[in-house]
Amino acid sequence: MLRLSLMLKEVRGRKQMSLKTLEKKTGVSSPYIFRLEQQDRKNPSVQAVLALCKAMELTSYEVFQLLLEDYHMEGYVPTLEELLRSHRFALGGNEVDDVELKRVLLDIVMHIDQNMDEDVEQESVAELTRKVERYHDRKAQILSGV
């Protein structure tokens, strides 16, 4: 919460918005906002964060990125699924931003993880091959504009 708290306080000050003004714009109570800024409110609601973002002209991506960084600093370790869904990344020089492509990629990684300690069976390899083919098919669809 440290980074989010500092950003809220800094942006509110820069925009010269009082707590009451922000309360009127967002419907989020001024004591709640104050507690967020003072780090007394540890788990803000998504609705409150989105309302504050909109009122202060911040993108939700910026704010949630700060929240993820704060959780990471506090010992929170995101799942691979959370990382794939919430972060931009590139494979082979191309940005992966398609939800379906990310889902198939996660399926492949999870399949490998779940079958890594076992004796590799032909059926498991065949299933992994089908998942990789789905990945390549989806990638081809994206590149062709479908």
Side-chain angles (χ1 to χ4, degrees):
M1 270 303 296
L2 174 64
R3 291 176 185 222
L4 177 63
S5 299
L6 293 173
M7 185 174 84
L8 289 175
K9 192 171 188 173
E10 188 268 325
V11 172
R12 187 173 63 80
R14 190 169 13 113
K15 293 186 177 279
Q16 299 180 343
M17 298 174 95
S18 69
L19 289 169
K20 285 292 182 190
T21 301
L22 196 51
E23 177 179 24
K24 288 176 186 171
K25 288 181 99 171
T26 63
V28 178
S29 75
S30 54
Y32 187 96
I33 298 167
F34 180 78
R35 287 196 317 270
L36 281 175
E37 290 181 353
Q38 299 303 309
Q39 302 175 47
D40 291 337
R41 185 84 167 106
K42 298 294 182 193
N43 296 311
S45 72
V46 173
Q47 294 84 3
V49 171
L50 291 175
L52 291 167
C53 289
K54 185 177 179 183
M56 292 194 283
E57 300 172 348
L58 299 168
T59 66
S60 54
Y61 177 81
E62 291 174 300
V63 174
F64 284 106
Q65 189 66 31
L66 288 173
L67 282 172
L68 282 175
E69 289 174 18
D70 283 345
Y71 284 129
H72 183 67
M73 287 173 49
E74 294 172 9
Y76 173 77
V77 178
T79 65
L80 180 59
E81 183 175 7
E82 289 170 325
L83 289 172
L84 286 176
R85 289 177 193 246
S86 64
H87 288 81
R88 297 172 56 190
F89 60 92
L91 280 175
N94 297 313
E95 183 176 349
V96 178
D97 61 355
D98 180 76
V99 173
E100 177 64 17
L101 192 61
K102 287 181 176 183
R103 188 185 66 72
V104 174
L105 186 58
L106 181 63
D107 283 347
I108 291 169
V109 172
M110 295 306 293
H111 182 89
I112 292 168
D113 180 60
Q114 292 168 356
N115 294 289
M116 209 161 113
D117 295 332
E118 300 174 10
D119 290 333
V120 178
E121 297 177 12
Q122 191 170 4
E123 185 178 307
S124 177
V125 173
E127 178 64 24
L128 180 58
T129 302
R130 285 190 291 276
K131 290 177 181 186
V132 171
E133 287 171 354
R134 276 200 332 255
Y135 175 83
H136 286 292
D137 290 346
R138 181 61 188 157
K139 190 173 175 183
Q141 288 175 343
I142 292 167
L143 293 175
S144 68
V146 174

